[in-house]
Amino acid sequence: MFSALKLIVVLGLISFGFTEAAEKKWWETASFYQIYPRSFKDSNGDGIGDLNGVTEQLSYLKEIGITATWLSPIFTSPMADFGYDIANFTEIDPIFGTMEDFDALITRAKAVGVKIILDFVPNHSSDECEWFIKSAENDPEYKDFYVWHPGKIINGTRHPPTNWISVFRGSMWTWNDKRQAYYLHQFHAKQPDLNYRNPKVREVMKDVLRFWLRKGAAGFRVDAIPHAYEIEADADGNWPDEPRNELVTDPEDYTYLDHIYTVNQPETVELIYDFRKVLDELNEELGGDERILMTEAYAPLDVIMQYYGNATVEGAQMPFNFELISYLEKDSDANHYAELINGWLNLMPAGRTANWVLGNHDRNRVGTRMGEDRIDMMNILLFTLPGCSVTYNGEEIGMTDVWISWEHTVDPQACQSNPNEFERLTRDPVRTPFQWNDGQLAGFTTGNSTWLPVSDNYKLVNVKRERGITMSHLNIFKQLQTLRSETTMRNGDVEVKALSENVLGIKRSYGGQKTFVILLNIMNHVESVNLNAAFSSLTNELTYELVTDKSPRRKGDKAYTDSILLMPKEAVVLSTTA
Ligand code: NOJ
């Protein structure tokens, strides 16, 4: 009797053209959240966020529907680049707490159901790392852990071995008195590059991965991977100069050269495949959910796609997709949005999962970059595209950049420039303390000061206040998380189109399930769209599933495909009945 019923149900589903997709892995539909630990929550009143602060707020992450959070570096560091200069890769910096605090974080995160992903910085260490100190001393075990060169003698004067310029300005080479040689640093002079042409380096860094996986990390965000290799030196141990970018006149600026020998060398991709093997090995050893890699590469799309792996080798599950943060601007039209989104989807190797990154600690905040009146619109876009989403802490409440004067700037990327250039380079404005409530210092700390200033707007933009406002950014964000758990959003196909110069349309459909149509009216004009011309197989009547404060409609109102009116900057999610 039971199996006859089951058969009827199955036949019924097949006749509607619907078969359930294979079960997705946890990360394939996940909502990721980046925490910048210095700025998230300070538990001990020293004005700098810490691990216990994160642990305290894990229930908040659960409240806003987060699956996993990646933490910017929490390891021992002199903080020349706020933790991206690591002195000991397997120790917690006292600023952030202790190893016991980390263990407590993992235990609590498991109980709450949020995964913890760590930042893995393979390209460089701190110059205060024991490996570098020993390398400078020519210790036989460590002497080739970094990239060293005695320099070129021209007319009796010593010069750096190449013209290469570091990302943080000036020569990529710094002289070391002890070793009597130059060392290479693609970033700050306090961040010497590890030498991946030495197999021992690869092995110690793979051990770092193993260490944290055994401690309970669910995976890693891999920092600055395009910089891991430089072109191989010639038989005499020399490298070629990089050519000039004629459009740039400042010889200290990173963009002055065309970086053909210092980024995106083919070995970088192969390095990720090797790191992935370590994760697979630990999946075997530890069991449980698959561990993941997210790679940070600002690179041409065809290079980024290689990080996914191919038919014969596995790479990163999530090569970060920076299309939305790198190329969308305030005046981008709907065609531009559609091109960027389809560009990624079309180039992605078969069977892989898309991801969409909307912000991070290096780029201006969404409200500053795209305009505050597009904050909800951008979150709607992030959550209705297929695959995983990545949100930077504070974007869910609509935090915006905070202007910080040259005198108060602390970001090394800006400090190495000058009072005229720093605003273009500084990342301090996106790293200010998280705004929890309207109390003193936005509830970030119990102390009397914070390492970067709290935004003036914290009385209006904070979690506590936004919880109580139906149409707040926070509540729209939470509604989007609910919507995202719909079968169609998790498994469905996607069509992305410019319906006019100003209106982007997205259709998500999945067999006989509910179909969703998402409309973004990007500019300041009232627009009318006819969906029949754009998308096939829609029912004539649609229902508003999600609206923002730009909309005169309410959730549950009806719309008709032949004519839908959109107010300036209105973004809506509509559905057909299942
Ligand atoms: C990329 C990180 O996101 C950035 O903050 C850091 O300065 C560089 N890598 C160097 O590690």
Side-chain angles (χ1 to χ4, degrees), residues 36 70 81 84-85 119 121 124 168 187 191 221 223-224 296 360-362 413 427 431:
Y36 194 69
W70 74 268
D81 190 17
Y84 283 95
D85 47 320
D119 208 323
V121 186
H124 44 266
F168 289 172
F187 292 87
Q191 293 167 299
R221 174 263 188 188
D223 183 72
E296 189 220 21
N360 63 36
H361 63 296
D362 293 329
Q413 177 164 272
R427 300 167 297 177
R431 298 175 176 181

Side-chain angles (χ1 to χ4, degrees), residues 267-279:
E267 295 92 336
T268 60
V269 172
E270 190 273 323
L271 182 60
I272 288 298
Y273 300 162
D274 207 22
F275 290 153
R276 171 63 188 265
K277 284 196 202 122
V278 177
L279 269 70

Side-chain angles (χ1 to χ4, degrees), residues 244-251 253-257:
R244 270 287 309 275
N245 168 0
E246 298 297 338
L247 300 173
V248 179
T249 51
D250 177 357
D253 196 278
Y254 186 59
T255 57
Y256 185 74
L257 299 178

Side-chain angles (χ1 to χ4, degrees), residues 383-399:
F383 279 104
T384 55
L385 291 171
C388 351
S389 60
V390 188
T391 297
Y392 176 54
N393 58 198
E395 297 294 5
E396 75 279 18
I397 55 170
M399 282 177 64

